[in-house]
Coordinates of all heavy atoms in Angstrom, one line a residue:
E1069 N 87.8 120.4 161.3 CA 88.1 119.0 161.6 C 87.3 118.5 162.8 O 86.8 117.4 162.8 CB 89.6 118.9 161.8 CG 90.4 118.7 160.6 CD 91.9 119.1 160.7 OE1 92.4 119.2 161.8 OE2 92.5 119.3 159.6
R1070 N 87.2 119.4 163.8 CA 86.4 118.9 164.9 C 85.0 118.7 164.6 O 84.4 117.7 165.0 CB 86.5 120.0 166.0 CG 87.8 120.2 166.7 CD 87.7 121.4 167.7 NE 89.0 121.7 168.3 CZ 89.3 122.9 168.9 NH1 88.4 123.8 168.8 NH2 90.4 123.1 169.4
R1071 N 84.4 119.6 163.8 CA 83.0 119.5 163.4 C 82.7 118.3 162.5 O 81.8 117.6 162.6 CB 82.4 120.8 162.8 CG 81.0 120.8 162.4 CD 80.0 120.4 163.5 NE 80.1 121.2 164.7 CZ 79.4 122.3 164.9 NH1 78.5 122.8 164.1 NH2 79.6 123.0 166.1
Y1072 N 83.7 118.1 161.6 CA 83.6 116.9 160.7 C 83.6 115.6 161.4 O 82.8 114.7 161.2 CB 84.8 117.0 159.7 CG 85.0 115.7 158.9 CD1 84.1 115.5 157.8 CD2 86.0 114.8 159.1 CE1 84.2 114.3 157.1 CE2 86.2 113.7 158.4 CZ 85.3 113.4 157.4 OH 85.4 112.3 156.6
K1073 N 84.4 115.5 162.4 CA 84.5 114.3 163.3 C 83.1 114.0 163.9 O 82.6 112.9 163.9 CB 85.6 114.4 164.4 CG 86.7 113.5 164.2 CD 87.7 113.6 165.3 CE 87.5 112.6 166.4 NZ 88.4 112.8 167.5
E1074 N 82.6 115.1 164.4 CA 81.2 115.0 165.1 C 80.2 114.5 164.1 O 79.4 113.5 164.4 CB 80.8 116.4 165.5 CG 80.8 116.7 167.0 CD 80.6 118.1 167.2 OE1 79.6 118.7 166.6 OE2 81.4 118.8 167.9
L1075 N 80.1 115.1 163.0 CA 79.1 114.9 162.0 C 79.2 113.5 161.3 O 78.3 112.8 161.0 CB 79.0 116.0 160.9 CG 78.5 117.3 161.4 CD1 78.7 118.4 160.3 CD2 77.0 117.2 161.7
H1076 N 80.5 113.2 161.0 CA 80.8 112.0 160.3 C 80.4 110.7 161.0 O 80.0 109.7 160.4 CB 82.3 112.0 160.0 CG 82.7 111.0 158.9 ND1 83.2 109.8 159.1 CD2 82.5 111.0 157.5 CE1 83.4 109.1 158.0 NE2 82.9 109.9 157.0
E1077 N 80.4 110.8 162.3 CA 80.0 109.6 163.1 C 78.5 109.2 162.8 O 78.2 108.1 162.7 CB 80.1 109.9 164.6 CG 81.5 109.7 165.1 CD 81.6 110.2 166.6 OE1 80.6 110.4 167.3 OE2 82.8 110.5 166.9
K1078 N 77.7 110.2 162.6 CA 76.3 110.0 162.3 C 75.9 109.9 160.8 O 75.0 109.3 160.4 CB 75.4 111.0 163.0 CG 75.4 110.9 164.5 CD 74.3 111.7 165.1 CE 74.3 111.5 166.6 NZ 73.8 112.5 167.4
N1079 N 76.7 110.6 160.0 CA 76.5 110.7 158.6 C 77.8 110.5 157.8 O 78.5 111.5 157.5 CB 75.8 112.0 158.3 CG 75.5 112.2 156.8 OD1 75.7 111.3 156.0 ND2 75.1 113.4 156.4
P1080 N 78.1 109.3 157.3 CA 79.3 109.0 156.7 C 79.5 109.8 155.3 O 80.6 109.9 154.8 CB 79.3 107.5 156.4 CG 78.2 107.0 157.2 CD 77.2 108.1 157.5
D1081 N 78.4 110.3 154.8 CA 78.4 111.0 153.5 C 79.0 112.4 153.6 O 79.4 113.0 152.5 CB 77.0 111.1 152.9 CG 76.4 109.8 152.5 OD1 77.3 108.9 152.3 OD2 75.2 109.7 152.4
V1082 N 79.0 112.9 154.7 CA 79.5 114.3 154.9 C 81.0 114.4 154.6 O 81.8 113.5 155.0 CB 79.1 114.8 156.3 CG1 80.1 114.4 157.4 CG2 78.9 116.3 156.3
T1083 N 81.5 115.5 153.9 CA 82.9 115.6 153.6 C 83.5 116.7 154.4 O 82.8 117.7 154.8 CB 83.1 115.8 152.1 OG1 82.6 117.1 151.8 CG2 82.5 114.8 151.3
L1084 N 84.8 116.6 154.6 CA 85.6 117.7 155.3 C 85.5 119.0 154.6 O 85.3 120.1 155.2 CB 87.0 117.3 155.5 CG 87.9 118.3 156.2 CD1 87.4 118.6 157.6 CD2 89.4 117.7 156.3
E1085 N 85.5 119.0 153.2 CA 85.5 120.2 152.4 C 84.2 120.9 152.6 O 84.1 122.1 152.8 CB 85.6 119.9 150.9 CG 87.0 119.4 150.5 CD 87.4 118.1 151.0 OE1 86.5 117.2 151.2 OE2 88.6 117.9 151.4
E1086 N 83.1 120.1 152.6 CA 81.8 120.7 152.7 C 81.6 121.4 154.1 O 81.1 122.5 154.3 CB 80.7 119.6 152.4 CG 79.5 119.5 153.2 CD 78.7 118.3 152.8 OE1 79.1 117.1 152.8 OE2 77.5 118.6 152.4
V1087 N 82.1 120.7 155.1 CA 82.0 121.3 156.5 C 82.9 122.6 156.6 O 82.4 123.6 157.1 CB 82.5 120.2 157.5 CG1 82.6 120.8 158.9 CG2 81.6 119.0 157.6
F1088 N 84.1 122.5 156.0 CA 85.0 123.7 156.0 C 84.3 124.9 155.3 O 84.3 126.0 155.9 CB 86.3 123.4 155.3 CG 87.3 124.5 155.4 CD1 88.1 124.6 156.5 CD2 87.4 125.4 154.4 CE1 89.0 125.7 156.6 CE2 88.3 126.5 154.5 CZ 89.1 126.6 155.6
E1089 N 83.7 124.6 154.2 CA 83.0 125.7 153.4 C 81.8 126.2 154.2 O 81.6 127.4 154.2 CB 82.6 125.2 152.1 CG 83.7 125.4 151.0 CD 83.4 124.6 149.8 OE1 82.3 124.5 149.4 OE2 84.4 124.2 149.1
N1090 N 81.1 125.4 154.8 CA 79.9 125.8 155.5 C 80.3 126.7 156.7 O 79.7 127.8 156.9 CB 79.1 124.6 156.1 CG 78.0 125.0 157.0 OD1 78.1 125.0 158.2 ND2 76.9 125.5 156.4

Side-chain angles (χ1 to χ4, degrees):
E1069 275 158 16
R1070 287 176 186 160
R1071 180 56 54 93
Y1072 169 72
K1073 246 181 96 186
E1074 251 171 50
L1075 289 171
H1076 196 255
E1077 276 170 22
K1078 287 190 177 159
N1079 176 9
D1081 291 339
V1082 82
T1083 67
L1084 178 59
E1085 289 69 34
E1086 138 183 62
V1087 172
F1088 184 86
E1089 271 168 32
N1090 173 260

